[in-house]
Amino acid sequence: MSKPLTDHEKRKQISVRGIAGLGDVSEIKKSFNRHLHFTLVKDRNVATPRDYYFALAHTVRDHLVGRWIRTQQYYYEKDPKRIHYLSLEFYMGRTLQNTMINLGLQNACDEAIYQLGLDLEELEDIEEDAGLGNGGLGRLAACFLDSMASLGLAAYGYGIRYEFGIFNQKITNGWQVEEADDWLRYGNPWEKARPEYMLPVHFYGRVAHTHEGPKWVDTQVVLAMPYDTPVPGYKNNTVNTMRLWSAKAPNDFNLQEFNVGDYIQAVLDRNLAENISRVLYPNDNFFEGKELRLKQEYFVVAATLQDIIRRFKSSKFGCRDPMRTSFETFHEKVAIQLNDTHPALAIPELMRILLDIERLDWEKAWEITTKTCAYTNHTVLPEALERWPVYMFEKLLPRHLQIIYEINQRHLDRVAVLYPGDSDRLRRMSLIEEGDPKRINMAHLCVVGSHAVNGVARIHSDIVKTTLFPHRFSFWHLLSCDFFFFSFQKIGEDFLTDLFQLKKLLDFVNDEMFIRDVAKVKQVYIYVVVWCLCIMIFLHCCKSPKICKRCFCVVPHCLLQAAPGYHMAKMIIKLFTSVGEVVNHDPVVGDRLKVIFLENYRVSLAEKVIPAADLSQQISTAGTEASGTGNMKFMLNGALTIGTMDGANVEMAEEAGEENLFIFGMRVEDVEAMDKKGYNAREYYERLPELKQAMDQISTGFFSPKEPELFKDVVNMLMNHDRFKVFADYEAYISCQEKVNELYRNPKEWTKKVIRNIAASGKFSSDRTIAEYAREIWGVEPSDVKIPPPNEPRE
């Protein structure tokens, strides 16, 4: 009889996976131990799990560095047109796993870490999310950077290195409580400080009129320190750069205003300058006209444009001397994409540089500016549109105010020629909105100063053209590992770089084995709920003496986060958790339905939730959602969509067929008609007994017995001030939910629809979107050229 294997021998047997080369594994182990020893100054006796994460991160980063340097050398040698993506938000999440996948190192790292007696997933979970964004806008920016690298575009992301990113959400007694996101407290192994490229940014001061023209003088200077993060493409050796700026006070900041005795206070006052990059404003769809926010917007724009112009002039790698002195070819070598209105100041700032520093005339400067800049609009909601008070510009950016006035005057002169005598049109199209106070409409500035304007989804572009401003005129992918495996087996791996290849899955929509395999991927049913009236009605139905056909066969979850100052959103979260308290402890319903709130929703949590979801609710009132890029990720990962015809749902229905989604409610034209007719919530309340009961339960304190009037603001909003017209879509929503539940009872037919949705999701790839941006907006062609890796000689 053979001797039983020891635990060590069992582990050795299990670890022989035949995937990673032994040399790769050996090198990674050596590098890991070297970083643990030399970089972290630890050994295995005293090292913590965080030390192990940092050792692995530095090991993986080593594989990036040579490619990163070589990529930049390649761009200087070939001198392609460079794309500069300006965004106040980059919601990057975690970097380690994405980098390992893009470099083809994940299997080798997994094996090496296993042989070292550690667990790769546990180390990945230690990494802090880089939460430098609020949601879709910032996440889209992050995915676009990935795609630009994967498509071989010479691209740079520019933003702010916020010391505190999006807040951490805690739920305490059902209420949202915000905690600071101190994501840098343990350091960031992926970034490289570049103090040699630190740049001055000016604020305040006045405009002096000299014989050479206007000059902005007597300004207060803040320094912009760049931190670079590598952005690797998918297995093509391209590593682009995201450059984030951090605010630093100059050494003489305010010292001239103090005598020797006030030295301490003078040094402490440096914080006034450095506050610019301290914290991310926690809302991307509500405009707060705070001076600090305007400072942030100008700070990133001013530093970035100096950097862009330096790079344009110095066409040799490492050269600081200007090689180009003419700006004739600037727009041929530089593209600037404005991610929403937050970086809109790039337009007057580029004009200021060309006029005041480079001494170009207005017509030439304007031609260069408009041919260089392009603008993506993210929202049509009026509370999100940036309208800055003129008096704030006058104080903070006086020269830019002059330039904006001149831009507006010339723009209105052109409008007046086209539409003589139409004063109402002049008022609507002006960059300056009259009133108390006067305001600058930043969306109008972007439209006037850009050569291309687009919305994020097609329906949104149409609204931008026809409603928001009658002027001229996107997505990422995230796949679960299990689905990767099944797709490899059926259609090969080409779909990883060409998502349209997923259409081949339609050949297997009736394959019994494939249907079973896809169904197995969904281990958890997650029902994304953004409105809890449905749950209240289910609670009532379950306790009713008659049998109700609306019995939910699902486990509801809710993913909600409210901006700290957004009272109504916080009240809705409290309402949801209060409903959960009642439902989860109800003796009749408690074993059939659970309301679970997943707090602190972020990128790393989404990476777990989205592949597990079966149903995705995208129920914005038609015409109000910029895109809803999350719905595309759910679709790609096999969740069926229940939603209105809004945002990307429209194009998803076109691609998959409306019969493979659960579409309900008003269309844009219906909403417009209701706006003209008038919306009366009480009409629905009086007519629909179930809705009336749910609202009465909220208003009488059924879900808050200790505070009966706790939710009076929610009731008042829904009954009297609901511009989203929730009740108008209510009947259609409930009816559609019945169809969802009926289909879910038939797993085979449900899974067939899942396969059809996945197969139709190829359009919703950020690679496809960026390829279109490149050709249609930036005038460059994506490249499949692979830069030679560091271990191969350059040509």
Side-chain angles (χ1 to χ4, degrees):
M1 193 169 107
S2 60
K3 190 170 76 170
L5 293 172
T6 66
D7 287 344
H8 178 68
E9 288 168 331
K10 286 179 186 174
R11 288 187 57 177
K12 280 187 70 177
Q13 266 198 352
I14 294 168
S15 70
V16 179
R17 302 170 189 175
I19 298 173
L22 294 177
D24 292 340
V25 173
S26 175
E27 276 303 311
I28 287 170
K29 286 166 67 178
K30 284 180 186 175
S31 184
F32 179 92
N33 286 324
R34 179 172 55 82
H35 278 296
L36 190 64
H37 186 80
F38 290 105
T39 307
L40 299 165
V41 196
K42 293 282 185 78
D43 64 16
R44 295 292 292 268
N45 295 311
V46 296
T48 65
R50 191 173 304 281
D51 293 324
Y52 294 140
Y53 157 70
F54 271 92
L56 178 59
H58 283 292
T59 297
V60 173
R61 184 176 176 271
D62 286 349
H63 289 260
L64 277 174
V65 169
R67 292 171 171 84
W68 197 6
I69 293 172
R70 184 163 279 195
T71 298
Q72 302 311 309
Q73 290 173 335
Y74 180 83
Y75 291 160
Y76 275 90
E77 288 168 1
K78 301 298 181 182
D79 196 23
K81 186 172 187 177
R82 300 181 194 230
I83 316 304
H84 305 87
Y85 196 84
L86 274 64
S87 179
L88 266 286
E89 300 183 20
F90 284 99
Y91 206 168
M92 304 302 290
R94 292 170 173 167
T95 298
L96 176 59
Q97 186 184 52
N98 185 61
T99 303
M100 290 189 297
I101 290 170
N102 282 358
L103 295 182
L105 286 173
Q106 192 170 31
N107 291 325
C109 286
D110 191 9
E111 179 66 21
I113 293 302
Y114 181 77
Q115 290 183 17
L116 288 165
L118 301 168
D119 184 277
L120 182 61
E121 284 190 20
E122 289 178 4
L123 298 189
E124 289 172 346
D125 280 341
I126 290 170
E127 182 175 0
E128 300 280 345
D129 275 50
L132 307 186
N134 285 281
L137 181 147
R139 187 61 205 147
L140 192 74
C143 294
F144 276 6
L145 293 189
D146 282 347
S147 287
M148 286 187 269
S150 293
L151 294 173
L153 298 173
Y156 303 80
Y158 282 100
I160 293 179
R161 181 181 178 266
Y162 300 105
E163 188 177 332
F164 296 93
I166 185 63
F167 61 91
N168 288 321
Q169 180 197 49
K170 298 289 182 188
I171 302 298
T172 304
N173 297 323
W175 292 97
Q176 172 176 295
V177 177
E178 299 89 29
E179 293 183 353
D181 172 33
D182 191 5
W183 71 289
L184 291 170
R185 62 186 175 275
Y186 298 111
N188 178 6
W190 304 105
E191 68 181 9
K192 175 69 180 77
R194 302 287 194 189
E196 67 275 22
Y197 292 113
M198 193 152 51
L199 295 166
V201 175
H202 299 262
F203 294 101
Y204 304 108
R206 60 186 177 84
V207 180
H209 296 279
T210 72
H211 66 279
E212 294 179 346
K215 282 192 175 180
W216 189 15
V217 297
D218 299 337
T219 58
Q220 184 183 104
V221 174
V222 176
L223 298 177
M225 162 84 88
Y227 288 79
D228 288 354
T229 299
V231 181
Y234 181 69
K235 293 184 178 180
N236 64 352
N237 297 322
T238 294
V239 181
N240 285 339
T241 301
M242 177 178 67
R243 176 161 285 186
L244 302 180
W245 302 100
S246 181
K248 306 289 181 189
N251 284 335
D252 64 347
F253 181 79
N254 272 1
L255 287 182
Q256 64 271 23
E257 298 180 17
F258 294 86
N259 59 36
V260 175
D262 287 328
Y263 165 74
I264 297 296
Q265 188 58 48
V267 173
L268 292 177
D269 278 0
R270 293 167 61 91
N271 284 337
L272 296 174
E274 295 175 359
N275 279 343
I276 291 174
S277 58
R278 192 79 68 205
V279 63
L280 167 74
Y281 270 81
N283 205 330
D284 65 354
N285 60 7
F286 184 82
F287 172 59
E288 286 190 82
K290 307 285 188 183
E291 183 175 305
L292 178 59
R293 176 65 170 181
L294 184 57
K295 278 187 173 181
Q296 288 181 336
E297 294 184 0
Y298 180 65
F299 175 76
V300 68
V301 157
T304 296
L305 279 171
Q306 290 180 75
D307 209 45
I308 290 172
I309 289 171
R310 172 193 60 78
R311 194 177 285 114
F312 167 74
K313 289 182 174 181
S314 304
S315 57
K316 185 177 176 184
F317 189 58
C319 175
R320 285 176 172 257
D321 297 324
M323 309 290 286
R324 291 189 181 103
T325 55
S326 169
F327 278 81
E328 287 292 329
T329 61
F330 188 76
H331 66 277
E332 297 171 9
K333 291 297 181 182
V334 173
I336 296 174
Q337 188 70 36
L338 308 177
N339 191 30
D340 213 8
T341 54
H342 310 138
L345 285 167
I347 293 167
E349 173 66 3
L350 182 54
M351 285 296 290
R352 185 189 70 83
I353 292 169
L354 296 177
L355 293 169
D356 298 359
I357 299 173
E358 302 298 336
R359 315 307 301 172
L360 273 63
D361 63 51
W362 181 278
E363 285 71 20
K364 192 64 189 176
W366 185 243
E367 178 189 3
I368 291 168
T369 298
T370 53
K371 286 183 176 179
T372 301
C373 295
Y375 162 56
T376 300
N377 178 277
H378 278 262
T379 183
V380 296
L381 297 177
E383 68 266 30
L385 297 176
E386 289 196 299
R387 295 176 168 95
W388 286 102
V390 165
Y391 70 79
M392 198 176 287
F393 262 78
E394 203 164 23
K395 172 186 174 187
L396 196 68
L397 302 167
R399 178 60 179 136
H400 297 78
L401 179 61
Q402 290 181 346
I403 291 170
I404 289 170
Y405 272 138
E406 182 70 14
I407 291 171
N408 190 48
Q409 186 59 56
R410 289 170 181 254
H411 164 61
L412 293 181
D413 288 346
R414 289 193 297 272
V415 173
V417 170
L418 292 171
Y419 303 96
D422 192 341
S423 57
D424 188 56
R425 183 180 294 271
L426 287 174
R427 179 189 57 77
R428 291 199 317 269
M429 297 184 71
S430 175
L431 276 59
I432 312 299
E433 296 180 352
E434 299 298 329
D436 188 18
K438 273 188 181 182
R439 296 181 183 274
I440 301 169
N441 187 313
M442 303 305 278
H444 285 192
L445 174 62
C446 287
V447 171
V448 171
S450 301
H451 70 277
V453 178
N454 70 294
V456 183
R458 192 182 64 223
I459 186 174
H460 184 217
S461 291
D462 293 340
I463 292 169
V464 166
K465 284 189 288 182
T466 60
T467 306
L468 196 61
F469 20 70
H471 238 277
R472 300 162 286 178
F473 349 126
S474 307
F475 317 105
W476 66 86
H477 45 273
L478 169 69
L479 277 177
S480 68
C481 295
D482 290 330
F483 188 74
F484 267 145
F485 176 70
F486 294 130
S487 299
F488 280 157
Q489 286 187 317
K490 291 295 183 184
I491 64 174
E493 62 176 88
D494 287 350
F495 79 93
L496 291 173
T497 52
D498 178 10
L499 218 58
F500 282 107
Q501 297 284 328
L502 288 174
K503 285 188 181 291
K504 294 177 182 177
L505 291 176
L506 291 174
D507 295 340
F508 305 98
V509 74
N510 294 309
D511 184 317
E512 297 287 340
M513 182 67 74
F514 187 61
I515 290 171
R516 284 197 296 273
D517 287 341
V518 171
K520 284 178 187 174
V521 172
K522 299 296 185 181
Q523 299 299 318
V524 180
Y525 194 108
I526 292 184
Y527 189 29
V528 181
V529 181
V530 296
W531 183 236
C532 48
L533 287 173
C534 214
I535 300 171
M536 300 174 201
I537 288 162
F538 172 69
L539 175 66
H540 169 66
C541 289
C542 282
K543 302 179 81 166
S544 173
K546 62 183 180 181
I547 296 174
C548 179
K549 67 179 180 179
R550 287 182 185 154
C551 287
F552 283 55
C553 51
V554 299
V555 183
H557 285 232
C558 183
L559 309 175
L560 291 173
Q561 221 168 4
Y566 196 169
H567 170 71
M568 189 54 63
K570 285 188 170 183
M571 291 307 303
I572 291 172
I573 289 175
K574 175 60 176 174
L575 173 61
F576 194 90
T577 56
S578 298
V579 171
E581 279 293 305
V582 174
V583 170
N584 296 343
H585 295 96
D586 189 281
V588 177
V589 180
D591 62 342
R592 303 175 64 190
L593 178 71
K594 291 292 181 190
V595 179
I596 301 171
F597 192 102
L598 300 180
E599 70 180 6
N600 203 31
Y601 190 64
R602 57 203 184 281
V603 175
S604 55
L605 180 56
E607 289 170 347
K608 296 178 175 68
V609 170
I610 290 172
D614 278 333
L615 188 68
S616 164
Q617 296 219 40
Q618 308 292 334
I619 59 177
S620 55
T621 303
T624 63
E625 173 59 74
S627 173
T629 42
N631 49 2
M632 299 174 236
K633 295 199 294 297
F634 280 109
M635 179 189 191
L636 182 55
N637 281 269
L640 300 187
T641 298
I642 179 171
T644 54
M645 271 301 206
D646 195 26
N649 291 352
V650 177
E651 289 157 87
M652 288 162 59
E654 286 178 2
E655 295 297 308
E658 196 168 324
E659 69 279 6
N660 290 307
L661 282 75
F662 300 100
I663 298 297
F664 73 92
M666 297 182 290
R667 311 291 170 109
V668 170
E669 55 272 22
D670 300 322
V671 175
E672 290 172 350
M674 183 169 283
D675 283 335
K676 291 177 183 174
K677 171 188 164 189
Y679 166 68
N680 183 359
R682 187 160 292 277
E683 174 190 321
Y684 298 91
Y685 170 82
E686 298 291 354
R687 184 166 58 82
L688 302 170
E690 290 176 343
L691 178 61
K692 184 177 189 300
Q693 180 184 17
M695 291 302 298
D696 288 349
Q697 285 181 327
I698 299 173
S699 59
T700 58
F702 180 80
F703 298 104
S704 55
K706 294 180 180 178
E707 298 179 78
E709 295 196 346
L710 179 62
F711 299 115
K712 66 178 183 181
D713 288 348
V714 176
V715 173
N716 181 47
M717 181 272 291
L718 287 169
M719 297 298 294
N720 302 309
H721 309 289
D722 179 17
R723 59 195 179 85
F724 294 107
K725 308 172 184 65
V726 170
F727 292 177
D729 275 339
Y730 171 75
E731 285 178 283
Y733 175 68
I734 292 294
S735 175
C736 200
Q737 283 289 2
E738 291 171 359
K739 295 177 184 176
V740 171
N741 294 325
E742 183 182 348
L743 183 65
Y744 193 68
R745 293 189 182 97
N746 187 337
K748 182 177 177 180
E749 291 305 312
W750 179 281
T751 306
K752 283 185 177 182
K753 284 190 185 290
V754 166
I755 295 169
R756 292 188 186 105
N757 269 264
I758 294 168
S761 61
K763 177 181 179 181
F764 306 114
S765 159
S766 58
D767 289 355
R768 190 273 307 167
T769 307
I770 286 299
E772 288 186 9
Y773 271 55
R775 296 185 178 108
E776 297 174 17
I777 297 176
W778 304 327
V780 295
E781 189 65 28
S783 170
D784 57 3
V785 173
K786 287 190 177 181
I787 298 171
N791 60 332
E792 292 180 12
R794 293 165 62 203
E795 294 178 2

